[in-house]
Every structure is written in C-alpha cells, then in structure tokens.
Amino acid sequence: MSFENFVNWTVSIDCGATIGNYQGQIKSVDAINQTLTLKYAFHNGILIDQDGLNNVNINAKDIIDLNLLSQPGSSFQIPKTINKKSNNEQSQQQLKAAPIANNGSKSSISSGVNVSLSSRSRSSKSWSDEATNENEETTTNRFNFDSSNLSSIKNSSIVQSYSQIQDKYRCDQMILEHNNGPIDYEQIQLPVPTTKKFLTDEGLVVPGINIELRNRLFASAEYHGYSLERRIESMGRCTSDMCLHLLGGTQRLLVKNRHQHPTIVVLACLTEVQGAYAISAGRILASRNIRIYLYLPPNTNSIQNSFIENELKLFRTTQGIITNDVTDLPRSPVDLILNGLDAANNSDSVLFAKPWYRDIVQYCSRLQASVIGVDPPLDGGAIECKYSLVPLLPLVSMSSKNVGRLYLCDLGLGQKVFQHLQIRYASPFGAKSFVALHDS
C-alpha cells in the first residue's frame, strides 16, 4: 500500500516524553527526508494554530508509535477551531509550533510563526475532549510505526500493510538503508581460487589456504616488522580472550565469585610454536588470578628454541604451576584444557610411543573438560578438541569433524602484509579478536 492511501487519515503519534504526542491528519510523507507532515495538528491536546492550516513535520526517527484513528470521510474528524476562555486570554497568547528535540539538535516544525511551546496556555477544548465520544464508536487500527518502518520506504511507498510490517529490530541490527550497493560478503580474495571456503556468523566468506601460502604470509609479516614474538603475543592474547568467553565472561572473575575462580590446564610442547602460543595464553590468564597448571613433557633436553625459553621465563613471573608429572595435575574441577602439545610436526605415532603422552591422553579423556586446540594439526591430534583456534586464515584441509568448532584468531596484521602476496583482505573480526567459522 503506497503512502497516497494514508493521506488524510487521522492519526495519533507518540514521540516520547521529551517531544510529546501529536494528532492530526496526514498531509504527505517525504520518503527521502524521512518526514511525515500533519495538518490540523494538535500537540499534547492543544491545537497548534488557530486557523488549523499550518503543517507540522515530524522526523521518522522521533516516532515511537503511531495509531491510525480513522479513514478520510469518517465521522471522526479533527476540530478546526477551539473555544477560548476569554478575549483577554486570546490576546495574551499565540498558539505556535515548537522545535522537536533530536539527539541534541532541533528540527524545525513548519509553521507560520516560531515561538516556544511553553508560551502557550491551555485551551478549554483539546483533542482528548473532542475525541472521547468518537473513540467509543471508532475502531482504532494500531500498528508499530517506529523509525524502522518509515526508513523502509522505497519509491514513494510508506508501508505495505499492518500485517506485513516487520517486527521491531534489535539494538544491534542496522535499520537504515545504505547507498553503497549490495554487501560484499567475499571481502577476502586469494590470487588463486581456493578449494574450500568457510563462513562467519555474519555470512562473510573466509577462504581456506594451504600450508605453503600460510608460511609465505608469516614470512611477509616478518618482512613488514611483525616478528615471531609479536605473533606469539597476539595469538596468546586471542586464545586467552576465547577462554574468558567460554568461562562465562566477566561474571566468573568478579570479586564476589572468587570462591569459584576457574582452573585451566595448559599442555605445551617445547619444540613447536604451538607450545609458545599455549604458554603465552596461560601467562595472560594467570595474571587474571585464574589457576593455571602448565604441563611440559618430562625428560626433555635443553630447550633449543629461544622463543620457548622467553615464554617460560615470562610465565614464571606469575603464580602458575609448572609440572612434568601428570599426577600433579588437578583431577577436578577443571574448566578448560589448552592443548598446545599436538602440533603439525608432531606425529601421533611418535608421541604415542612415549608413556607420558599416553598418560596425558587418558587424563584428558577421563577429565571430560572442554579442550581448546591451539593451532592443532589437520587431523586434530590424539586429544579430541571441542574447539580449535587457528591464526591468520584457516587451512583448506581443516574440518570441524576433526578439530571441533573452528575459530579464527586476529593477529592484527596490516593489509600490506596480504597485498604483498596479491591477496585482497578485509578483517572479518568486527569488535572481537576471534570469530567462529563454519563449513560452507
């Protein structure tokens, strides 16, 4: 139904406590400027103009609710005049339109004279007085006419019908149309088409990459100044954010809940960068007064990688517990397990040959706590993961069947890192440091 069908309808508009209520007949609707014009208008029960011919423009975003009172030609009509208490009172006042408050700014109401609404004195006859008897006989057609409805006007169309009006939007939904064309959901494009794509909760497409391209991206990042230490810190902080999210957010760490602070077990290898990721995340979580148990493989020779040594040195500044014995790990309750033990370069067959690894697998299986794989191998490893967190871009061969629910970590790399390899990149993360991925 186009807006012409609503011209001359009698309506009542609620603009909230600050602006007030308006009643009158719809004269026109401006779809471009998002305004609705009333004639013979009353404001809070007071006729705005003596002649009743001046117009009132109301912004769509100021409208909270709108009631259709009567159709054109029905017996319910707006009074064209009002009775005055005395000639002296009439000479002392002028009935004029007032500005509409709009987020601190003022949108003028079209009338012949502009004077503050406070200068009006109430008339002896108001809208409510005139309409009381008629309302008993007229059925009020009521529908939700907030700004989201009026903003949906296209090509001089106000609404389709009340049965087709959309429900109210949530506070996090965009209700205004944009003029930038259709949304581009493939904001990340590789120079060579990928064989697998993932989807975010918003529907954005995240392409999968192979190991070779991932290593080239890491090399490009280091070329542009993103060192390995920066990557480890970013990955550790993102992993800790995800842990806090799974633990219940800030509520779990309130002072009044200190009697039930969470416990997390961190498993870290000493030969691969995945171990450094897990140790970094454990250190950040331990600084939040979370009980952290860091398990390192026993009978390990001197650590050969300096980045592992640096992360262990930083971890020792916290109150986290380091152990090489699975019997020292808590039996219950344990909230989460961070698995940085399984890595792409660690073969399951080689690890299973070691008794300590079999003990860890049994420990995790018996504990039944949620396991987060930190950049796990493609097959997920022997320790079954409920969640997995990967940096940069997901690998083509990854599947939720093997690695659980897949999440992507934001390393904070600039676009030039990707452009260096002819990759068009736009961040899919929004306000978070991680985003869930789904198989397309």
Side-chain angles (χ1 to χ4, degrees), residues 279-300:
I279 297 172
S280 176
R283 184 242 313 163
I284 295 172
L285 291 168
S287 68
R288 306 283 184 91
N289 297 324
I290 297 176
R291 289 185 291 270
I292 301 295
Y293 290 82
L294 174 60
Y295 176 82
L296 301 177
N299 302 324
T300 305

Side-chain angles (χ1 to χ4, degrees), residues 67 127 142 159 217 240 334 387 436:
N67 293 336
W127 168 276
R142 191 174 187 272
V159 286
L217 279 170
S240 65
V334 174
Y387 312 96

Side-chain angles (χ1 to χ4, degrees), residues 146-182:
D146 59 8
S147 59
S148 63
N149 301 127
L150 197 55
S151 65
S152 63
I153 297 175
K154 283 186 178 180
N155 301 325
S156 301
S157 175
I158 179 171
V159 286
Q160 296 181 358
S161 67
Y162 357 122
S163 62
Q164 297 176 348
I165 295 297
Q166 295 183 2
D167 294 334
K168 287 187 176 181
Y169 289 88
R170 300 194 312 269
C171 61
D172 60 345
Q173 285 183 299
M174 175 59 68
I175 63 174
L176 299 179
E177 297 180 356
H178 56 83
N179 298 322
N180 299 326

Side-chain angles (χ1 to χ4, degrees), residues 318-334:
T318 69
Q319 296 180 351
I321 301 172
I322 301 177
T323 181
N324 302 107
D325 190 350
V326 68
T327 60
D328 294 334
L329 297 177
R331 297 300 170 182
S332 64
V334 174

Side-chain angles (χ1 to χ4, degrees), residues 364-435:
C364 295
S365 176
R366 183 172 57 251
L367 202 60
Q368 296 183 346
S370 297
V371 179
I372 302 177
V374 184
D375 194 14
L378 297 178
D379 59 0
I383 301 175
E384 185 177 356
C385 298
K386 185 175 182 179
Y387 312 96
S388 290
L389 190 64
V390 296
L392 213 55
L393 289 173
L395 296 176
V396 172
S397 303
M398 279 190 164
S399 172
S400 57
K401 296 180 180 179
N402 299 327
V403 298
R405 294 188 61 181
L406 189 62
Y407 288 81
L408 189 65
C409 169
D410 182 15
L411 297 182
L413 303 182
Q415 291 185 345
K416 288 187 178 180
V417 174
F418 298 90
Q419 293 174 357
H420 186 72
L421 299 177
Q422 288 78 48
I423 297 175
R424 195 188 79 170
Y425 180 84
S427 172
F429 296 99
K432 292 187 176 181
S433 60
F434 59 92
V435 63

